[in-house]
Amino acid sequence: MNAGFMDAALEQARRAAAAGEVPVGCVIVQDGTILARAHNLTLTDRDPTAHAELLAIRAACAALGSERLPDCDLYVTLEPCAMCAAAISFARIRRLYFAAADPKTGAVEHGPRFFTQATCHHAPEVYSGLAEADAARLLKDFFALKR
């Protein structure tokens, strides 16, 4: 675990907020180096699948020339939804670090708990709560401005 990588994900989340996107940021790391950085672009791209995790996974796969990322760790500022959890599983991500819990749409420690299902082919090691207060504050401030 490296707090600097979560800081890089938080920077991506701030970029998302500045663009009017839900402030979720993600980085994918291999051997101590960030391979990919992304933030939510669902509104910008008019694409409901343009979540930070999916965009980062796509970029990391392209960088490595592989559809699998077994030696990679993913840092994200919000608990992944079911779609993103499935992509993390399919990409064979080694470790998942997420900051803020998402009781409403999260799918790792909430909702379907994707990685505990018998139908899940690969479950990463999961670590939650890293920089949770910072990520939660970004989300809370973002949605307060929207209301």
Side-chain angles (χ1 to χ4, degrees):
M1 174 180 58
N2 182 320
F5 296 136
M6 187 58 79
D7 289 341
L10 285 163
E11 175 55 33
Q12 289 297 308
R14 286 188 280 277
R15 288 180 183 203
E21 299 276 359
V22 174
V24 177
C26 179
V27 298
I28 295 181
V29 177
Q30 182 185 49
D31 297 329
T33 301
I34 295 175
L35 287 177
R37 301 167 193 261
H39 57 76
N40 277 5
L41 288 173
T42 58
L43 300 173
T44 302
D45 290 357
R46 292 182 174 20
D47 179 356
T49 69
H51 288 199
E53 299 96 321
L54 289 181
L55 297 172
I57 287 169
R58 290 173 188 154
C61 286
L64 295 178
S66 175
E67 74 283 5
R68 303 277 189 251
L69 303 169
D71 299 322
C72 295
D73 300 334
L74 187 148
Y75 290 76
V76 65
T77 58
L78 184 65
E79 178 180 355
C81 68
M83 175 180 67
C84 292
I88 288 165
S89 177
F90 293 147
R92 306 296 193 263
I93 297 285
R94 176 179 52 191
R95 293 184 198 102
L96 165 65
Y97 298 91
F98 70 85
D102 187 353
K104 185 174 180 181
T105 61
V108 177
E109 293 181 349
H110 296 89
R113 299 174 192 248
F114 187 88
F115 301 127
T116 66
Q117 300 302 313
T119 54
C120 179
H121 296 291
H122 168 78
E125 294 175 31
V126 176
Y127 303 91
S128 61
L130 183 62
E132 182 173 14
D134 294 333
R137 188 172 22 265
L138 267 173
L139 288 157
K140 186 176 185 177
D141 291 350
F142 176 81
F143 286 111
L145 290 172
K146 294 288 182 188
R147 294 185 178 110

